[in-house]
């Protein structure tokens, strides 16, 4: 028996994937296509993607937001979990990175569910709010530049309904959150982690999954 999270060795991690991972062929192909990318570490892990997809299904989510798309693996995973009428507003600033995603979204048959917005994410979120979409979303995933997280969180908190879920990635910063911040990104996450812990507007779970995954349920 254990009263804390296990240390995950490479062997144990492989065991977890072997005994749990269920991917659409397009997901596997997209991970393979991204593996050689110079910024491949920006892609979320497959077990995290599968966990997020399960959350989306458990919630019966229909409308979702993603802040930070990269090559589209997380967007693909969420879109596959949405019902046929579901939609995902995917925010990114890079046409180059997101262009990798499009063929795989098409292959999986979910391209019509994904509305890709190439613009600063805060601008897109502000537009959604100006268009009267506050409270219309079920699920939001934030995985972009860390100094923008607080603003993205506040906007998503308005956009999701009561009982809606905001998921924030990289909230452990490879363990750097326990040390004195050596850059603005780590400092921003440290401040946000304190804020989330004290935020009475949400129910909170902070998971040591991948590089830290924080779940914030709007009350």
């Amino acid at each position: 028996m254990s009263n804390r999270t296990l240390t995950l060795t490479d062997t144990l991690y492989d065991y977890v994937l072997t005994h749990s991972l269920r991917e659409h062929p397009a997901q596997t192909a997209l991970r393979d296509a991204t593996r050689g990318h110079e910024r491949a570490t920006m892609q979320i892990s497959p077990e995290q993607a599968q966990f997020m997809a399960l959350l989306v299904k458990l919630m019966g989510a229909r409308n979702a937001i993603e802040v930070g798309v990269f090559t589209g693996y997380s967007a693909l995973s969420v879109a596959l979990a949405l019902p046929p009428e579901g939609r995902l507003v995917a925010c990114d600033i890079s046409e180059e990175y997101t262009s990798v995603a499009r063929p795989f979204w098409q292959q999986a048959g979910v391209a019509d569910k994904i509305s890709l917005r190439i613009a600063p994410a805060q601008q897109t979120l502000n537009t959604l709010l100006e268009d009267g979409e506050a409270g219309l979303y079920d699920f939001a995933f934030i995985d972009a530049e860390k100094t923008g997280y607080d603003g993205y969180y506040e906007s998503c908190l308005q956009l999701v309904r009561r009982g809606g879920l905001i998921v924030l990635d990289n909230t452990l910063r490879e363990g750097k959150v326990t040390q004195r911040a050596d850059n603005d990104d780590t400092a921003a996450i440290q401040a946000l982690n304190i804020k989330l812990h004290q935020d009475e507007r949400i129910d909170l779970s902070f998971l040591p999954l991948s590089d830290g995954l924080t779940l914030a349920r709007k009350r």
Side-chain angles (χ1 to χ4, degrees), residues 54-132:
L54 181 61
L55 292 175
V56 167
K57 290 183 178 181
L58 285 170
M59 295 177 67
R62 285 178 165 76
N63 297 310
I65 299 168
E66 176 169 285
V67 180
V69 177
F70 187 42
T71 59
Y73 180 71
S74 52
L76 174 57
S77 303
V78 169
L80 283 166
L82 292 171
E85 71 277 12
R87 66 162 178 156
L88 170 65
V89 176
C91 311
D92 206 281
I93 58 172
S94 175
E95 184 66 50
E96 176 188 356
Y97 292 168
T98 56
S99 66
V100 176
R102 296 177 186 273
F104 299 97
W105 293 349
Q106 290 284 353
Q107 179 185 338
V110 298
D112 290 343
K113 294 183 185 179
I114 302 173
S115 175
L116 179 61
R117 313 287 179 91
I118 301 295
Q122 192 60 61
Q123 177 182 315
T124 299
L125 298 176
N126 290 343
T127 298
L128 295 177
L129 289 168
E130 291 165 3
D131 289 344

Side-chain angles (χ1 to χ4, degrees), residues 162-178:
R162 285 189 178 182
L165 186 66
I166 302 171
V167 178
L168 302 102
D169 199 22
N170 303 117
T171 47
L172 287 177
R173 293 284 296 159
E174 299 179 330
K176 295 176 183 177
V177 288
T178 64

Side-chain angles (χ1 to χ4, degrees), residues 4-5 37 48 56 66 79 82 89 138 144 167 180:
R4 59 179 296 172
T5 303
H37 194 284
Q48 178 180 330
V56 167
E66 176 169 285
L82 292 171
V89 176
D138 307 294
V167 178
R180 182 173 181 176

Side-chain angles (χ1 to χ4, degrees), residues 146 149 170-173 177 185-193:
K146 311 313 169 195
Y149 265 40
N170 303 117
T171 47
L172 287 177
R173 293 284 296 159
V177 288
D185 285 337
T186 299
I189 292 298
Q190 287 173 323
L192 183 60
N193 286 342

Side-chain angles (χ1 to χ4, degrees), residues 135-149:
L136 297 185
Y137 291 84
D138 307 294
F139 180 88
F141 177 50
I142 299 174
D143 183 17
E145 81 285 356
K146 311 313 169 195
T147 53
Y149 265 40

